Amino acid sequence: MTAVEPRVARAMDVYRQWWLHDARWYQGVAKRFGHEVANEINAEALRFVAEHVGKRMLRQFGGKPAADLDELRARYDACAEYMFPSELRDGGIEVIGEDLLELTMRQNFAVTMVRMAGSLDGYECPCTEIHAGWSAGLGVDLSENRATGCLRHGDPACRLLMRVAAQDGKD
């Protein structure tokens, strides 16, 4: 085992502990104030963090708009990896149309942690808020941002569509 491997293992443990904390936090808010309030606060907080991550990735990619949809896909992938390391999820982002990206996630650590904390029944995934935050941070306007499948609801994968809005008034 190299010196890096124990650090990576500790980093994964830190992620797991924070996600467990987040799930328990959600459960505490839901018990005291209801699931609607817990979902609203959770989505608001995750959107804030996602926008921060999007801005960070924009700087790492040179601060300029993506040259094309493939480059934008790479930026969204970088946002996803930064917020939710691949060790904690199974998924990716693909270009599926001229202006359309699809995020697919077959395993979602957040859903697993909320399930383990006993709060899955009232939990609503904040995925579209996360994508809205990434997009805002990356300087991208979306004309569509919606889920077409969700692990939380028993689907085999989360599937989310992000349609990039036409720029300069073009449709």
Side-chain angles (χ1 to χ4, degrees), residues 18-19 22-23 25-26 38-54 83-84 108 110-111 114 123-135:
W18 273 109
W19 279 104
D22 186 56
W25 172 90
Y26 175 89
N39 287 322
E40 182 181 321
I41 294 169
N42 188 46
E44 181 181 299
L46 278 166
R47 183 177 180 142
F48 177 85
V49 171
E51 188 167 343
H52 174 78
V53 168
M83 260 181 96
F84 310 105
N108 181 321
V111 171
V114 172
Y123 179 76
E124 290 300 323
C125 295
C127 295
T128 56
E129 289 299 316
I130 293 168
H131 301 154
W134 288 344
S135 298

Side-chain angles (χ1 to χ4, degrees), residues 74-149:
R75 291 177 184 201
Y76 280 120
D77 267 340
C79 288
E81 184 65 26
Y82 193 80
M83 260 181 96
F84 310 105
S86 55
E87 293 85 355
L88 302 178
R89 65 181 167 85
D90 175 15
I93 300 172
E94 293 182 45
V95 175
I96 62 168
E98 183 177 307
D99 59 355
L100 191 60
L101 298 155
E102 181 181 50
L103 182 143
T104 302
M105 194 165 325
R106 291 166 294 282
Q107 179 183 1
N108 181 321
F109 196 77
V111 171
T112 301
M113 290 290 97
V114 172
R115 180 183 292 119
M116 288 173 57
S119 289
L120 194 59
D121 286 342
Y123 179 76
E124 290 300 323
C125 295
C127 295
T128 56
E129 289 299 316
I130 293 168
H131 301 154
W134 288 344
S135 298
L138 291 169
V140 174
D141 292 324
L142 297 177
S143 62
E144 182 178 4
N145 180 19
R146 67 184 174 93
T148 61

Side-chain angles (χ1 to χ4, degrees), residues 13-73:
D13 283 342
V14 168
Y15 273 109
R16 286 182 187 96
Q17 297 310 314
W18 273 109
W19 279 104
L20 182 57
H21 163 271
D22 186 56
R24 296 303 296 187
W25 172 90
Y26 175 89
Q27 187 175 25
V29 172
K31 278 183 184 177
R32 288 168 184 81
F33 304 106
H35 283 284
E36 185 177 332
V37 171
N39 287 322
E40 182 181 321
I41 294 169
N42 188 46
E44 181 181 299
L46 278 166
R47 183 177 180 142
F48 177 85
V49 171
E51 188 167 343
H52 174 78
V53 168
K55 288 176 182 177
R56 182 183 192 112
M57 291 305 114
L58 180 62
R59 285 190 305 273
Q60 286 187 3
F61 279 86
K64 295 182 179 167
D68 56 28
L69 213 53
D70 285 324
E71 185 179 326
L72 182 57
R73 182 209 51 78

Side-chain angles (χ1 to χ4, degrees), residues 3-14:
V4 173
E5 289 170 346
R7 284 187 295 194
V8 170
R10 282 193 306 274
M12 289 292 83
D13 283 342
V14 168

